[in-house]
Amino acid sequence: MEEERNERELTTPAVSYTEENIRHLSDMEHVRVRPGMYIGRLGDGSQAEDGIYVLLKEVIDNSIDEFKMGAGKRIDIRMEEDLRVSVRDFGRGIPLGSLVDAVSMLNTGGKYDTKAFKKSVGLNGVGAKAVNALSRHFVARSVRDGQLREAVFERGELMSDTTRPTDEENGTYIFFEPDSSLFLNYRFRPEFIETMLRNYTYLNTGLAIYYNGHRIISRNGLEDLLNDNMTAQGIYPIVHLKGEDIEIAFTHSPQYGEEYYSFVNGQHTTQGGTHQSAFKEHLARTIKEFYGKNFDFQDIRNGLVAAIAINVIEPTFESQTKIKLGSLTMAPEKDSDGQPYPLSGVSVNKFVGDFIKENVDNFLHKHPDVAEVLLQKIQESEKERKAIAGVTKIARERAKKANLHNRKLRDCRVHLNDAKSGRKDEEDDPRLESCIFITEGDSASGSITKSRDVNTQAVFSLRGKPLNSFGLTKKVVYENEEFNLLQAALNIEDGLDGLRYNKVIVATDADVDGMHIRLLMITFFLQFFPDLIKKGHVFILQTPLFRVRNRKKGVYETIYCYSEEERIAAIEKLSPNPEITRFKGLGEISPDEFRHFIGKDIRLEQVMLRKTDAVKELLEFYMGKNTMERQNFIIDNLVVEEDIIDEA
C-alpha cells in the first residue's frame, strides 16, 4: 500500500503556475475573500462570538474612543428588524477630507497618532473598513462645524459621496447591513448586544448609550458589572478599587470555581491575557501574605468573582478581534514625537501587581470584618480540599488508566494533534470551533460518532442517567466515575483556562428521559462549574422530532421538523399524503441523516444565566428534596398540557 501511494504521488501531474495565477486584490476585495483574518468566524449571530457582533463592536469602539478622549458623552444605537444597525456618536467627527479613506483604505486612520488617541482600542486601521467591505449597504457620515459629508458604499464599493451644510451636532454616524451572502441566515440577538453595551458603560462611567431609545448607563463601573452578573450573593460587600489606568472589583461567592471579567481600554478580553493572569496571581499572593499563612492559591481563589480593567498605550492583542491581550509592557518607549512615555518599560505584570499589593493589603487592614469573612471562606475551601485529597489522587489516576480516547471519549483531531505538538491557543486556531457532544447510551453516541466532523467534534458517552449532584460536595466529582471522566475529558479541574472544547453540547433524546438527563447535566455544571455556563460554553442540541417527505418523480423531497408547528407547515407544503416519521431517539436517526443535524445547519440552544436566575433556589425547587411541592407543580402543569391536547 505504501509503495502504491508513493507511486501515485510521483505520477500526479503538477498544477501549472504562471503569471495568470498572480492576482492583486484591493483592500475591500481582500477583506471579502479572507474575512476570517479580520473578524474571526462568520456565523449567523446565534453565538456571541459570531462575526456580525465583531462588526458592531468595531463601529462602537471608534465612538468609545471619542468618549475616552473627552469628546461626546452619548452614543445612539438603533437596530432595525435585527438585521441593520446604525451608530451615532457626538464626538469630534472624522475629518471630512479623510472620510472616504478612513472607512475604505486599510491601514488608514487617526489612531496611529498617539496624541489624538492615547489609549485606544482600535489601533490597526482595520475595523470600519472590514465593516464596510462585509456589508451589503454601508453609510458613513461625519459632521464637523456645520458641514456634513456622507459616503455610501455597496459591498465596499463607493456609490456616492456628497457634502452639504447642516445644523446637526458634531460627530459620526455609521449605518451597516451585513452581507447576507457571507453571513448566511444571520440575525442579531438582542441579549448579546445588550451585554456588549452594558460592558461598555461599566468601563466608561458617565457614558450614556441609548439602544433603541432605552438608556444604558453605569455610575459605579466594575462594581455594577459584578452586581449585575452575579447569580449568588457575595459573602462580603464587593471590594472596588481604582487607580490611574487600573480598576478592580472582587468578592467571593458560595459557589465553586472562579469567575473573571477582564478589559483593556474598554475592550472585553474574553480570553484574558497578561493582565488577567497578573491579577489572578497577585491577588492570591497578596491575600496569602496578609494572613501570613501558607494557603494554597486554589483555596484563596475558590468562589472568587472578579473584574479587572486597565488602560495600555498602544496595546498588542493576539488577533484583530482583540479578545486576548498580548502586551507585556504598559507603553512603548516613545510617542509619535519621539518623547518617552512615563510607563515605558513597565511590565503589565508589575503594574498590576504593585497596585494590588498596596491597595488590597490596605483594604484588608482597614476592613477587619471583610478580612475575617474571607479567612473563614479560605479555611473552609482548604478543609474540603484536604478532606478529598486522597480521593482526588485516586480519581486522577483512574481517569488516566481509563484510556479516555478508547473507552468514553472519541476525541477530535485538533486535540489529538495538539497532544503531540504541544501547540498553544491562537485566535485563528481550529480549536475555537471544537465541541464535544455529551450523549446518552451507545446507540446515540454511535450515530453521532459516525456522522461527526472528526476534525473538530468529539463525543463523550454517558452510561445511563448521571447522578443528581444537587446539595453534594465536590467530593462526588471524583468519587463518581462518570463525573470524574467527564471532568478529565473537559480538562476543567483547575478552572476554564484548560477547557479543551469551546462548546459543550448536551445531546439527548427529545423525550422525558432525555429532558431528565439534560437537567441532571445542567445541575452538575451549575453545582461545580457555574462559570462554564456563565461564559457561554454549554449548549443543548436541537434534533428534529419529525421527518416529513414526499416522493416526486422518483426523488424524495424531505423537510425535517423541530416542532409541531413546523410539522403542520411541512405537511401543507408537501401535500398530498406525505410520509411522516416521528423520531423517538437519537439512536433511531441514521448516520447519513444525522450528518445534517450536526453540520453547518446545526441548531443549538445556549444555556444562559442571568442576574434574575437565583441558582440556589432554582436547583432547590427542581432538583431538591421538596418532593410534594414539585409533584403538585407537575400536576398543575399537566392539566394545562391536557387542555391544550383536548383543544387540538
Side-chain angles (χ1 to χ4, degrees), residues 407-561:
R407 183 178 176 186
K408 300 288 289 184
L409 174 69
R410 283 108 171 163
D411 213 345
C412 51
R413 283 177 180 163
V414 290
H415 292 304
L416 292 174
N417 293 338
D418 287 344
K420 298 175 183 177
S421 66
R423 185 178 62 182
K424 295 182 178 180
D425 280 325
E426 297 176 0
E427 172 59 20
D428 59 353
D429 196 311
R431 286 175 299 173
L432 294 175
E433 296 295 325
S434 67
C435 64
I436 182 170
F437 294 98
I438 301 176
T439 68
E440 53 167 323
D442 294 334
S443 59
S445 64
S447 293
I448 294 182
T449 298
K450 294 175 183 177
S451 308
R452 65 179 176 140
D453 178 351
V454 296
N455 292 308
T456 59
Q457 295 178 329
V459 182
F460 184 93
S461 178
L462 295 170
R463 188 182 66 235
K465 287 187 179 180
L467 179 70
N468 180 2
S469 59
F470 174 69
L472 304 179
T473 68
K474 204 166 186 178
K475 184 178 182 181
V476 73
V477 179
Y478 298 96
E479 289 181 328
N480 181 276
E481 184 179 29
E482 295 286 296
F483 291 158
N484 178 37
L485 296 179
L486 178 58
Q487 175 184 253
L490 299 178
N491 194 33
I492 54 177
E493 180 181 1
D494 297 322
L496 293 194
D497 288 348
L499 179 63
R500 300 177 72 243
Y501 308 94
N502 194 33
K503 292 185 177 68
V504 179
I505 303 171
V506 180
T508 61
D509 292 343
D511 57 15
V512 175
D513 283 337
M515 290 291 290
H516 190 202
I517 292 174
R518 290 185 192 179
L519 289 175
L520 292 169
M521 290 310 306
I522 293 174
T523 299
F524 169 69
F525 291 134
L526 285 174
Q527 185 79 358
F528 302 112
F529 305 100
D531 46 338
L532 195 67
I533 292 179
K534 282 194 173 184
K535 295 301 181 182
H537 293 290
V538 179
F539 298 82
I540 302 298
L541 176 67
Q542 300 297 311
T543 52
L545 298 175
F546 305 96
R547 179 184 63 209
V548 180
R549 64 181 182 179
N550 210 343
R551 191 179 182 91
K552 295 181 178 180
K553 296 180 180 180
V555 179
Y556 275 113
E557 184 177 356
T558 304
I559 299 177
Y560 295 101
C561 308

Side-chain angles (χ1 to χ4, degrees), residues 166-216:
T166 182
D167 57 1
E168 289 187 28
E169 292 184 55
N170 283 359
T172 302
Y173 168 94
I174 298 291
F175 170 92
F176 71 96
E177 179 181 340
D179 189 345
S180 59
S181 68
L182 298 172
F183 304 93
L184 303 178
N185 301 314
Y186 80 89
R187 183 173 68 83
F188 286 97
R189 266 60 170 184
E191 60 269 26
F192 296 148
I193 294 177
E194 289 176 12
T195 298
M196 179 195 302
L197 300 183
R198 290 192 183 281
N199 283 341
Y200 277 120
T201 61
Y202 298 138
L203 275 296
N204 300 276
T205 53
L207 170 67
I209 295 181
Y210 287 78
Y211 176 51
N212 288 342
H214 174 64
R215 182 169 175 256
I216 303 173

Side-chain angles (χ1 to χ4, degrees), residues 39 42-60 77-87 131 134-138 174-180 183-197 211-212:
I39 66 166
L42 289 172
D44 61 2
S46 59
Q47 313 302 328
E49 66 268 24
D50 284 351
I52 57 172
Y53 303 110
V54 178
L55 300 184
L56 177 58
K57 181 185 72 65
E58 292 289 357
V59 174
I60 298 175
I77 300 172
R78 293 203 167 272
M79 178 71 62
E80 299 177 9
E81 300 177 340
D82 296 332
L83 298 173
R84 298 171 288 276
V85 192
S86 65
V87 178
V131 181
L134 300 176
S135 294
R136 188 192 71 80
H137 188 68
F138 179 90
I174 298 291
F175 170 92
F176 71 96
E177 179 181 340
D179 189 345
S180 59
F183 304 93
L184 303 178
N185 301 314
Y186 80 89
R187 183 173 68 83
F188 286 97
R189 266 60 170 184
E191 60 269 26
F192 296 148
I193 294 177
E194 289 176 12
T195 298
M196 179 195 302
L197 300 183
Y211 176 51
N212 288 342

Side-chain angles (χ1 to χ4, degrees), residues 88 93-97 99 139-152 161-173:
R88 172 64 155 100
I94 300 171
L96 300 189
L99 177 65
V139 179
R141 292 182 200 143
S142 179
V143 178
R144 288 178 71 114
D145 304 324
Q147 291 292 310
L148 181 152
R149 184 177 181 184
E150 178 182 89
V152 179
D161 179 9
T162 58
T163 302
R164 64 180 185 271
T166 182
D167 57 1
E168 289 187 28
E169 292 184 55
N170 283 359
T172 302
Y173 168 94

